[in-house]
Amino acid sequence: GLQQSDEKAVQWFHEASKKGQADAQYNLGAFYETGRGGLQQSDEEAVQLYSEAAEKGHVNAQYNLAVFYATGRGGLQQSDENATKWYREAAENGQAVAQYNLGVFYSLGRGGLQQ
């Protein structure tokens, strides 16, 4: 089999990401978020890749993008409204933690949601 290599994974994620492959965009975003695979940690790069994957319906990218909006990370202005939008997308696509977080937003009346 193949020997584990974060650096090789980054190479292939990069190739597939350039071709618009949502799973690759999500994984490459996660590598940038954590500084894995020889990449310099960059929340800004992660946001860009999560955004591209989220727009294609990638549920975990939708969730991560919501978290970045909720906390104002990655160069994004903190926005409960945008966080709510992406939590809702991820929740409707079955992401359990997004469902929970959307419930929390409703319970607190955050993001324009009624308690």
Side-chain angles (χ1 to χ4, degrees):
L2 296 176
Q3 191 172 20
Q4 193 281 335
S5 171
D6 284 354
E7 288 77 13
K8 289 281 188 197
V10 165
Q11 282 181 303
W12 289 111
F13 291 155
H14 231 300
E15 287 301 313
S17 179
K18 287 190 289 190
K19 294 177 176 142
Q21 211 285 335
D23 288 326
Q25 291 166 331
Y26 168 77
N27 284 322
L28 191 56
F31 273 51
Y32 270 111
E33 183 179 356
T34 59
R36 224 176 125 185
L39 296 174
Q40 182 173 344
Q41 193 282 334
S42 173
D43 284 351
E44 290 78 8
E45 288 289 336
V47 162
Q48 181 61 42
L49 290 156
Y50 289 154
S51 295
E52 292 174 26
E55 292 290 346
K56 293 179 179 88
H58 193 286
V59 66
N60 289 326
Q62 291 169 340
Y63 170 77
N64 285 5
L65 191 56
V67 170
F68 274 60
Y69 271 115
T71 58
R73 283 180 60 194
L76 296 176
Q77 183 172 345
Q78 193 283 333
S79 169
D80 284 351
E81 289 75 18
N82 284 327
T84 298
K85 172 190 173 192
W86 288 111
Y87 280 141
R88 185 185 313 278
E89 289 286 331
E92 289 174 355
N93 287 317
Q95 216 282 357
V97 182
Q99 292 166 344
Y100 168 77
N101 286 349
L102 191 58
V104 169
F105 270 42
Y106 269 110
S107 75
L108 300 173
R110 283 181 67 179
L113 301 174
Q114 296 296 316
Q115 279 185 302

